[in-house]
Amino acid sequence: MSTPYPFTAIVGQDDLRLGLLLNAVSPAVGGVLVRGEKGTAKSTAVRALAALMPEVSVVPGCRFSCDPASPDPACPDGPHAEAAGVSRAARTVELPVGASEDRLVGALDIERALSEGVKAFEPGLLADAHRGILYVDEVNLLHDHLVDLLLDAAAMGASYVEREGVSVRHAARFLLVGTMNPEEGELRPQLLDRFGLTVEVAASRDTDERVEVVRRRLAYDDDPEGFAARWAEEETALRERIAAARALLPRVVLGDGVLRQIAATCAAFEVDGMRADIVMARTATALAAWARREEVTADDVRQAALLALPHRRRRNPFDAPGLDEDKLDQTLDEAAGDEGQGNDDDPDPGPDGGGDGGGGGGVPPQADGDRTPPQGSEGDDTPSQAPDSAPDAPGRSTGAEQQPVAAAEPFRTKMLSVPGLGEGAAGRRSRARTAHGRTTGAVRPQGALTKLHLSATVQAAAPHQRARGRSGRGLVVRRDDLRQATREGREGNLVLFVVDASGSMAARQRMSAVKGAVLSLLLDAYQRRDKVGLVTFRGKEAEVALPPTSSVDAAAARLESLPTGGRTPLAAGLLKAHDVLRVERLRDPSRRPLLVVVTDGRATGGPEPVALAGRAARLHQAEGTASVVVDCESGYVRLGLAGELARELGGTAVTLDELRADSIAGLVKDVTAAGRAA
């Protein structure tokens, strides 16, 4: 077994260490979500924490780690007779991104069911993690239904399994830690809310600190055991402090004054529901116990807010997490009132017990050390000095460029889906054969059996039992009897936006509406778990403003800064999109694309621009790319060029008004498949 990196040897990352330690003191806090760029010791810190957790006493032979002092009366391995417990280290269980539902919650033991004719439950990872740590790396890439199951178990402290004739409930109390890189896509807000705390981590910009990180890591890699031995004393002291804080926790007093501050803070930042209030109260109590105090102070409430609220105040998916600390201080002072619960003179304890309170889960530290609001946060108003129009003119690809305009208010869009039945990654857009979803039938397995259709297997084996000499309760099953379950659900697609940013689109009001429509489609893509890409064209060429990515936030940021002006090289935009899709088909052939062209249909510049655009469009049609053209033409006289482009693409056209879900044109518009008759 490899020697883990010592927790006390981690340099900096005060918020990360404090969030983990508070959950070690009080698992009821609800876990911690660690957000940050790659290479910032997220996984190292989580794995190092396991060595600090107190040992647990378990019932011998119990697969569900029951405490012998108070065994779970509903334990599937129970009831347990009185017996001396066996001490062992707390487990750290890692949940792989590709885990199945059976692996997470457990399932019917198929082997015993078929061979012995008994219903037996095979525990999953939730049972293994009971009274330990459950670690999910890249939690934002985990399938949504698995995240729901995971967080439900963490919130209730138990796992309920009702499937395949099995009804089981067992305790599942664990310290939940998730790590993620926001560049790879965000968690949905309702899932973010289920994590108790969140911390933002970033690599230090201090040269001396970076040098120390490298020095310690190299020393550990050269001699893990020797390096760990040098930190053994600090590790022992920290382990003892966690145990002492756990013992003190029940005696910590949460007064009415600080409860009022907690409620006022949650109300001031307009967080939804009451979970934030409860998490703040538990976190403040854990902070007091960690600081060896029996009473919660205003400083504890402030630190708890910085850890528990940033991810809950997002009003829409593109809001950056963070907290206005000036507003927080003002709210706490106002709530204190005559209660005398203002800021204490005692500094807020950091994870090492010192007086440095750290950043406390706010915005990640900037390079210059200043706390500046994140780009795109409230109050960030991008000025625009663009004129209301920019007519096409030769040679004006740069001279006619206008400053970006802000997007109009987003709206709920109709669902655009790819026709047919795909086999891509799980999502919420188009119909697909998936590993999860409703069971639609059974087939003979091609290769390894991955999902058994139990009733179909039994039906296939039943007629042959007498010929196979069956005796006893077990069912005699042969390889040919096995049946694979086929399931249908929804997949996520690659939504590639091709946006016309030329002079014909540059009227301020029109471009604002266009950006609002694209932003609305991006919100829809976020909710449906799509990958997105952005191609823009204007002047003489097209460019890939954003290669296909799972980070819809990045696409929204690129859209916001999109300048306009110049000619309309429509063919260049379609050809650039064709190149992007060709590469993506090689990288991820199972993910089907949806091409969304946002334009008024005009094409200018170069010889025969309209004919060239038509030939480029027919390339997409020939390859079967599902497409939709968002017609941005306005005014009383309309040329219908966008509709003609849609016919060349083999897709369909919708106006900006028809794109709205509440328009009278209908509730759902499926994209016409390429090659289907127009």
Side-chain angles (χ1 to χ4, degrees):
M1 182 177 179
S2 59
T3 303
Y5 191 92
F7 190 87
T8 50
I10 296 173
V11 179
Q13 306 294 14
D14 288 348
D15 287 349
L16 170 59
R17 292 187 291 145
L18 180 59
L20 292 172
L21 289 170
L22 290 178
N23 275 274
V25 171
S26 175
V29 165
V32 58
L33 175 65
V34 186
R35 298 163 43 94
E37 59 197 34
K38 51 188 177 293
T40 48
K42 301 188 296 293
S43 300
T44 299
V46 176
R47 295 187 177 105
L49 180 67
L52 300 175
M53 299 289 286
E55 288 191 340
V56 294
S57 178
V58 299
V59 173
C62 178
R63 297 173 297 166
F64 301 87
S65 302
C66 279
D67 185 350
S70 56
D72 181 7
C75 177
D77 284 355
H80 297 297
E82 293 186 8
V86 178
S87 293
R88 62 162 174 80
R91 291 173 180 159
T92 297
V93 176
E94 294 194 28
L95 175 61
V97 170
S100 66
E101 183 177 338
D102 289 350
R103 187 71 188 97
L104 178 63
V105 301
L108 177 69
D109 189 330
I110 299 296
E111 182 178 352
R112 292 190 62 191
L114 296 178
S115 63
E116 301 176 23
V118 297
K119 289 195 296 185
F121 180 68
E122 186 177 359
L125 294 176
L126 291 179
D128 293 342
H130 180 46
R131 304 176 68 197
I133 299 173
L134 182 59
Y135 172 46
V136 189
D137 194 13
E138 306 294 353
V139 65
N140 52 325
L141 303 183
L142 197 65
H143 292 314
D144 282 357
H145 75 286
L146 292 183
V147 178
D148 288 331
L149 290 170
L150 178 65
L151 296 178
D152 282 344
M156 296 186 295
S159 175
Y160 294 85
V161 183
E162 298 281 349
R163 55 186 304 176
E164 298 166 342
V166 175
S167 179
V168 172
R169 175 240 176 241
H170 65 83
R173 291 184 293 275
F174 45 81
L175 194 167
L176 175 63
V177 183
T179 59
M180 60 174 284
N181 183 350
E183 294 177 358
E184 296 172 339
E186 283 283 1
L187 274 173
R188 290 183 286 129
Q190 56 267 45
L191 297 181
L192 279 172
D193 181 59
R194 301 299 293 272
F195 280 94
L197 310 180
T198 186
V199 294
E200 298 276 345
V201 295
S204 172
R205 301 298 184 258
D206 180 80
T207 303
D208 292 337
E209 193 166 297
R210 294 175 76 97
V211 167
E212 186 61 23
V213 170
V214 175
R215 180 182 292 119
R216 292 186 186 182
R217 186 70 210 191
L218 293 177
Y220 170 77
D221 291 340
D222 289 341
D223 182 12
E225 290 80 8
F227 184 82
R230 291 196 292 273
W231 291 89
E233 186 176 342
E234 288 85 350
E235 291 282 287
T236 300
L238 189 56
R239 189 180 299 107
E240 291 174 351
R241 184 172 176 186
I242 292 173
R246 280 189 169 191
L248 178 63
L249 188 66
R251 302 199 301 272
V252 175
V253 177
L254 188 70
D256 289 342
V258 291
L259 271 175
R260 178 172 292 276
Q261 286 183 313
I262 290 170
T265 301
C266 292
F269 285 98
E270 300 180 351
V271 295
D272 296 329
M274 295 298 298
R275 184 176 285 117
D277 304 62
I278 296 170
V279 171
M280 272 189 66
R282 289 172 174 166
T283 305
T285 304
L287 279 162
W290 178 249
R292 305 183 179 93
R293 285 186 273 102
E294 294 189 6
E295 185 173 357
V296 176
T297 68
D299 278 342
D300 296 328
V301 175
R302 185 182 192 279
Q303 186 74 39
L306 291 170
L307 291 168
L309 296 188
H311 59 303
R312 292 187 166 90
R313 63 162 297 275
R314 292 175 56 151
R315 307 314 299 171
N316 69 63
F318 299 146
D319 286 343
L323 218 59
D324 183 339
E325 296 193 35
D326 291 336
K327 179 180 179 180
L328 174 60
D329 291 335
Q330 181 182 354
T331 302
L332 291 174
D333 289 341
E334 290 175 354
D338 298 330
E339 296 287 339
Q341 296 291 339
N343 289 338
D344 253 36
D345 292 332
D346 293 335
D348 189 50
D352 57 356
D356 183 8
V363 223
Q366 306 296 318
D368 57 1
D370 293 334
R371 290 186 178 272
T372 57
Q375 188 175 12
S377 61
E378 284 184 31
D380 181 19
D381 213 353
T382 305
S384 175
Q385 302 173 358
D388 286 344
S389 63
D392 288 346
R396 296 189 61 184
S397 61
T398 56
E401 182 175 307
Q402 302 182 29
Q403 294 296 318
V405 299
E409 190 70 21
F411 51 85
R412 189 167 65 89
T413 67
K414 292 175 181 167
M415 191 179 84
L416 305 174
S417 62
V418 179
L421 196 62
E423 295 181 346
R428 298 189 168 190
R429 184 171 297 279
S430 306
R431 292 175 57 229
R433 298 183 186 92
T434 59
H436 310 282
R438 63 186 182 90
T439 300
T440 57
V443 296
R444 291 181 182 271
Q446 301 296 321
L449 180 71
T450 56
K451 191 66 180 178
L452 180 73
H453 194 297
L454 183 59
S455 60
T457 298
V458 172
Q459 288 174 16
H464 309 291
Q465 295 306 295
R466 179 171 299 186
R468 293 172 183 174
R470 174 189 171 187
S471 61
R473 300 178 61 187
L475 194 67
V476 181
V477 179
R478 303 279 171 82
R479 173 72 186 177
D480 290 344
D481 301 328
L482 299 179
R483 294 295 182 267
Q484 173 85 26
T486 58
R487 296 187 172 190
E488 183 178 314
R490 292 279 174 175
E491 67 176 359
N493 298 109
L494 166 59
V495 182
L496 182 62
F497 294 92
V498 182
V499 180
D500 185 349
S502 65
S504 66
M505 301 280 290
R508 181 182 178 85
Q509 186 175 3
R510 186 194 299 186
M511 198 61 202
S512 177
V514 167
K515 284 189 175 183
V518 178
L519 185 62
S520 303
L521 289 167
L522 284 171
L523 279 165
D524 184 65
Y526 171 88
Q527 293 163 352
R528 300 190 188 283
R529 312 298 286 175
D530 295 316
K531 286 180 70 174
V532 297
L534 179 63
V535 172
T536 64
F537 59 93
R538 65 186 183 88
K540 297 181 180 180
E541 60 185 14
E543 66 171 346
V544 181
L546 183 72
T549 175
S550 296
S551 179
V552 180
D553 299 58
R558 300 290 173 89
L559 176 71
E560 195 68 28
S561 60
L562 178 66
T564 57
R567 290 186 176 276
T568 313
L570 176 58
L574 295 174
L575 290 173
K576 182 67 72 175
H578 183 269
D579 289 342
V580 171
L581 294 180
R582 177 178 55 81
V583 173
E584 286 301 307
R585 283 189 180 99
L586 295 174
R587 289 178 176 170
D588 189 358
S590 64
R591 188 181 289 268
R592 297 186 294 164
L594 172 61
L595 184 68
V596 179
V597 185
V598 185
T599 181
D600 57 9
R602 298 184 184 181
T604 60
E608 299 183 342
V610 176
L612 187 60
R615 288 198 293 272
R618 288 192 290 275
L619 281 176
H620 289 282
Q621 183 184 31
E623 294 193 352
T625 303
S627 59
V628 61
V629 177
V630 180
D631 185 357
C632 302
E633 192 175 27
S634 60
Y636 293 107
V637 180
R638 302 197 178 194
L639 303 178
L641 298 175
E644 180 61 31
L645 175 63
R647 285 189 288 274
E648 297 279 12
L649 286 166
T652 190
V654 294
T655 65
L656 290 175
D657 288 338
E658 291 172 342
L659 192 62
R660 294 178 178 271
D662 54 0
S663 72
I664 61 174
L667 296 178
V668 178
K669 181 180 286 293
D670 286 335
V671 179
T672 305
R676 184 178 293 178

